[in-house]
Amino acid sequence: MNKKIAKTSLMIAVFCLTISISIPGQALASWMASYYKTHPMSTDQLRDSWGKPVNVIQMDNGVEKMIFGPKDVVIGYTYFLIKDGIVVDKNVTGN
């Protein structure tokens, strides 16, 4: 009986940990997108703030991905998604 309780408790703990890790990440992603909807930033304003991009990638859907440095060892490069000359989202490249 003790093994069953321990196994159930472990499963509940893993489930709670998974939920607590995934929800904040999703909330941050939607917060960033909604932030740029209510606080528009032009490409010129972005370059004034961040300088010259390290790389610019033209994506198929008409969105431009501007990657800025320097690279952070842990999270990678910061990039912005631009559509029609306005920033629509911000994220990091990962390692």
Side-chain angles (χ1 to χ4, degrees), residues 9-25:
S9 298
L10 180 61
M11 289 173 56
I12 291 170
V14 168
F15 174 76
C16 291
L17 179 64
T18 303
I19 295 298
S20 67
I21 290 172
S22 65
I23 290 176

Side-chain angles (χ1 to χ4, degrees), residues 39-95:
H39 299 86
M41 178 187 284
S42 71
T43 306
D44 292 335
Q45 291 171 317
L46 178 64
R47 286 190 175 120
D48 288 344
S49 297
W50 284 80
K52 184 178 177 183
V54 174
N55 196 5
V56 178
I57 300 169
Q58 297 295 327
M59 302 170 79
D60 292 336
N61 55 0
V63 173
E64 190 175 54
K65 184 177 188 177
M66 288 187 158
I67 304 169
F68 291 88
K71 180 181 181 184
D72 183 280
V73 182
V74 177
I75 61 171
Y77 291 97
T78 301
Y79 70 86
F80 293 85
L81 299 177
I82 290 92
K83 183 155 182 130
D84 300 325
I86 302 294
V87 175
V88 292
D89 205 358
K90 172 186 174 184
N91 212 331
V92 292
T93 60
N95 249 349

